Amino acid sequence: METNYAITVDDLTVAYNYKPVLWDIDLAIPEGVLMCIVGPNGAGKSTLIKSILGIIKPIAGTVSVFGKPYKKQRSLVAYVPQKGSVDWDFPTTALDVVMMGTYGSLGWIKRPGQKEKKASLEALEKVGMLPFKNRQISQLSGGQQQRIFLARALVQNASIYFMDEPFQGVDATTEKAIINILKELRKAGKTVVVVHHDLQTVPEYFDWVTFLNVKKIATGPVKDIFNDDNLTKTYGINYKVSVQE
Amino acid sequence: MGTAVLGAICGMLGSFAVLRKQSLLGDAISHAALPGIAIAFLITGVKDSNIFLLGALVSGLLGTFWIRSITKKTHLKSDTALGLTLSLFFGFGMLLLTFIQKQPNASQAGLDTYLFGQAATLLEKDVWLIAIVAGISLLILFIFWKEFKILLFDEDYTKTLGFNTRFIDVLITTFIVITIVLGLQTVGVILMSAMLLAPAAAARQWTNSLGIMVILAAIFGAFSGVVGTGISTVSGNLSTGPVIVLVAASIVLFSFIFSPNRGLLFREIRFRKNRNNIKMHKTLAFMYGIAKTHQNISHPHAIKILNGFQGFSKKSLQELVDLNYVKIDGQQWSMTQEGYQTAENLYDQQIKKSDE
């Protein structure tokens, strides 16, 4: 059987000022993988996700989702931004934030109704945040805020999930809870792409990995390509990581 | 009447400016409007508020556009861009104003009321104009409520959902600019931004819901408009702008101090109460440590031995007695059964409480 690609990126190049942030990225992400993107600070990991999602306009390159242009396939893709990218003092509740995940399918002007509310409550339940649904978002801990963001993406009921550092600043319990949800998503046949920093946990959490440092270094199954050679190429120093078998 | 409606839309749209962290944009726009007014007068030579508004609108939008492109195309931060544009436009406006005043033309008098505003110069048709704009912005706000809200909270995410964020952004900004321009006649160039920000800042203190915040801001804005205009007319020809802004500022001050959740007063009270509570519980825990060593937990001990414990006070001891955790007999204290049990579960309770 031929592999289906959830995301195909061709010749993607992004520059903010003069220096390119991403250079000539070709990337094909097979459907149904749980993939992480690793690389040093400033390697363009977040930028890669943002340009795939059309938040940043690339200088060159194309992105397709299941073989069609991303713009036509938006509803199949959900995004979990970095937690620090929003103002958590915004006057709204946890449930309200999750409801925002339904706005895309609602389209312009229409208001969310009972159906959307029910879906949002279910998503809150899935991430274990149901008791906090009416909590003002500034009164949630960092881990709880991250779970709210995850619930907002879940409610979109997409096929592909992009997450920008979902494990940043969360405690071990939340990390476990989040990774369990991600694994469930994969089991349900969804594709999940995560920007990740902790190299130690890569073999345990993910089955697919992309090494990135402005250029794409390598991409493939964790068990084949997650090795010292690629890590050294990506991080520039002689990297040794103990890969558990 | 006109100032009430004006205050209301200022409050509503100001909420969005505050939440977008674009508070100073209003200041820049209103200052940028001044040369527009002056040029409109120079070209037409008549004093017609509608023509002035048009001029103000054009130069206000031009100023906004400048700020945007400065931040985008140079390395300057937005505060620098705002400051530059604001002072440049305002300086140019003042220059034109002094130039106009030197002209022999008699009709030039009164242009300077645009600096601080004069509600008395509002004609009935001006009030109508304000009311119509208020109606339209209310309608727009209602229709695009969901879109405004999500854009304010998380712009990148809004883009991924397929909304045209630039359209929403332009819509909000345009209405903010129009509102500012309308307010110039009443509140004046210099203080217009306070009219936009003060009601919103005050409203934020009272609620954690965006909807209620917008409504409250509208009410506060209307209130400051009415009271401010009232004071300024009653006490003779005081400029309306400063009076309205002072009223609005008092509301802000009041809100900062007295609002139940975020206010300074109640926070201080809660903080004290909490600290006393913990102090009291710590004392109980200390007593528990002593009582535990005896077979009979209610064995009496001298109060003196508590003195060495930091955090002990007569007040907290009295509280413990009131709660029936401890009994006092002369200079001796003894623990009750109830107090003993409470002390045993103290830590768990503290945790539960902070989790609530």
Side-chain angles (χ1 to χ4, degrees), chain A residues 89 96 107 109 111 156, chain B residues 21 142 146-147 149 157 204:
Chain A
D89 200 32
D96 241 14
I109 300 169
R111 301 289 174 98
Q156 284 180 257
Chain B
K21 306 203 166 34
F142 193 71
K146 174 177 111 244
E147 285 77 12
K149 181 172 172 174
Y157 182 72
R204 180 69 189 92

Side-chain angles (χ1 to χ4, degrees), chain A residues 16 31 54 187 207 213 228:
Chain A
Y16 287 130
E31 189 179 0
K187 231 186 254 167
D207 56 11
N213 192 351
D228 293 348

Side-chain angles (χ1 to χ4, degrees), chain B residues 218-287:
Chain B
I219 294 171
F220 288 159
F223 180 80
S224 349
V226 172
V227 174
T229 318
I231 295 175
S232 111
T233 0
V234 167
S235 53
N237 265 336
L238 279 181
S239 287
T240 331
V243 184
I244 293 183
V245 168
L246 281 179
V247 174
S250 338
I251 299 180
V252 173
L253 189 67
F254 180 81
S255 305
F256 274 141
I257 297 174
F258 294 106
S259 70
N261 275 319
R262 300 164 70 98
L264 294 173
L265 183 69
F266 285 95
R267 198 151 59 178
E268 184 64 28
I269 291 175
R270 257 200 314 271
F271 175 70
R272 291 247 166 109
K273 212 171 135 191
N274 206 359
R275 225 171 55 166
N276 281 336
N277 219 349
I278 292 178
K279 232 187 220 169
M280 187 260 284
H281 278 140
K282 287 301 278 187
T283 311
L284 185 68
F286 181 71
M287 291 168 149

Side-chain angles (χ1 to χ4, degrees), chain A residues 104-129:
Chain A
S105 59
L106 282 168
W108 289 89
I109 300 169
K110 245 190 277 167
R111 301 289 174 98
Q114 281 306 315
K115 195 180 111 210
E116 283 75 21
K117 192 172 174 190
K118 204 176 139 237
S120 307
L121 288 172
E122 278 168 14
L124 273 172
E125 169 124 61
K126 239 180 249 170
V127 298
M129 289 292 293

Side-chain angles (χ1 to χ4, degrees), chain A residues 17 50 53-55 70 74 79 81 86-92 96-97 100-101 103-104 106-112 135-137 139 149 152-153 156, chain B residues 19 21 75 141-147 149-150 152-157 159-165 167-168 204 207-211 213 262 355-356:
Chain A
N17 287 315
K50 284 184 181 170
L53 292 166
I55 298 166
Y70 165 69
R74 268 187 216 278
Y79 172 49
V86 303
D87 171 19
W88 288 95
D89 200 32
F90 192 80
T92 191
D96 241 14
V97 174
M100 287 177 186
Y103 286 10
L106 282 168
W108 289 89
I109 300 169
K110 245 190 277 167
R111 301 289 174 98
R135 184 76 73 89
Q136 154 71 17
I137 52 170
Q139 282 155 19
F149 260 15
R152 185 177 69 172
Q156 284 180 257
Chain B
L19 290 173
K21 306 203 166 34
H75 284 290
L141 198 68
F142 193 71
I143 294 175
F144 294 109
W145 177 253
K146 174 177 111 244
E147 285 77 12
K149 181 172 172 174
I150 190 170
L152 288 176
F153 179 61
D154 194 343
E155 184 169 347
D156 281 355
Y157 182 72
K159 255 186 214 169
T160 69
L161 290 181
F163 289 104
N164 184 343
T165 48
F167 172 73
I168 309 173
R204 180 69 189 92
T207 174
N208 278 328
S209 144
L210 180 63
M213 175 177 166
R262 300 164 70 98
D355 230 26
E356 258 163 34

Side-chain angles (χ1 to χ4, degrees), chain B residues 29-41:
Chain B
I29 295 171
S30 60
H31 282 73
L34 189 64
I37 295 170
I39 289 172
F41 175 76

Side-chain angles (χ1 to χ4, degrees), chain B residues 95-330:
Chain B
L95 191 80
L96 289 176
L97 224 55
T98 39
F99 172 73
I100 291 168
Q101 271 162 3
K102 289 220 177 93
Q103 300 265 326
N105 190 342
S107 63
Q108 37 91 353
L111 263 190
D112 50 347
T113 57
Y114 278 91
L115 285 180
F116 289 108
Q118 195 60 270
T121 59
L122 275 183
L123 303 173
E124 203 187 314
K125 65 177 170 94
D126 299 329
V127 178
W128 272 111
L129 188 65
I130 293 175
I132 290 168
V133 172
I136 295 174
S137 40
L138 195 66
L139 195 71
I140 296 279
L141 198 68
F142 193 71
I143 294 175
F144 294 109
W145 177 253
K146 174 177 111 244
E147 285 77 12
F148 283 167
K149 181 172 172 174
I150 190 170
L151 179 81
L152 288 176
F153 179 61
D154 194 343
E155 184 169 347
D156 281 355
Y157 182 72
T158 313
K159 255 186 214 169
T160 69
L161 290 181
F163 289 104
N164 184 343
T165 48
R166 176 172 280 180
F167 172 73
I168 309 173
D169 187 30
V170 166
L171 203 63
I172 298 183
T173 315
T174 310
F175 272 93
I176 291 179
V177 174
I178 294 176
T179 312
I180 288 171
V181 167
L182 280 178
L184 291 180
Q185 206 177 350
T186 330
V187 186
V189 166
I190 297 175
L191 295 170
M192 191 52 213
S193 73
M195 200 53 217
L196 214 52
L197 306 181
R204 180 69 189 92
Q205 288 298 113
W206 296 93
T207 174
N208 278 328
S209 144
L210 180 63
I212 297 174
M213 175 177 166
V214 172
I215 295 169
L216 267 182
I219 294 171
F220 288 159
F223 180 80
S224 349
V226 172
V227 174
T229 318
I231 295 175
S232 111
T233 0
V234 167
S235 53
N237 265 336
L238 279 181
S239 287
T240 331
V243 184
I244 293 183
V245 168
L246 281 179
V247 174
S250 338
I251 299 180
V252 173
L253 189 67
F254 180 81
S255 305
F256 274 141
I257 297 174
F258 294 106
S259 70
N261 275 319
R262 300 164 70 98
L264 294 173
L265 183 69
F266 285 95
R267 198 151 59 178
E268 184 64 28
I269 291 175
R270 257 200 314 271
F271 175 70
R272 291 247 166 109
K273 212 171 135 191
N274 206 359
R275 225 171 55 166
N276 281 336
N277 219 349
I278 292 178
K279 232 187 220 169
M280 187 260 284
H281 278 140
K282 287 301 278 187
T283 311
L284 185 68
F286 181 71
M287 291 168 149
Y288 170 76
I290 297 169
K292 211 165 57 171
T293 59
H294 289 264
Q295 279 197 330
N296 175 12
I297 51 156
S298 296
H299 182 87
H301 301 271
I303 289 180
K304 255 202 313 211
I305 55 172
L306 295 176
N307 287 341
F309 175 64
Q310 199 188 348
F312 165 74
S313 66
K314 280 209 172 104
K315 201 174 136 209
S316 53
L317 184 65
Q318 189 54 45
E319 271 176 56
L320 287 169
V321 173
D322 292 343
L323 283 165
N324 206 18
Y325 290 164
V326 171
K327 271 195 193 122
I328 291 187
D329 189 18

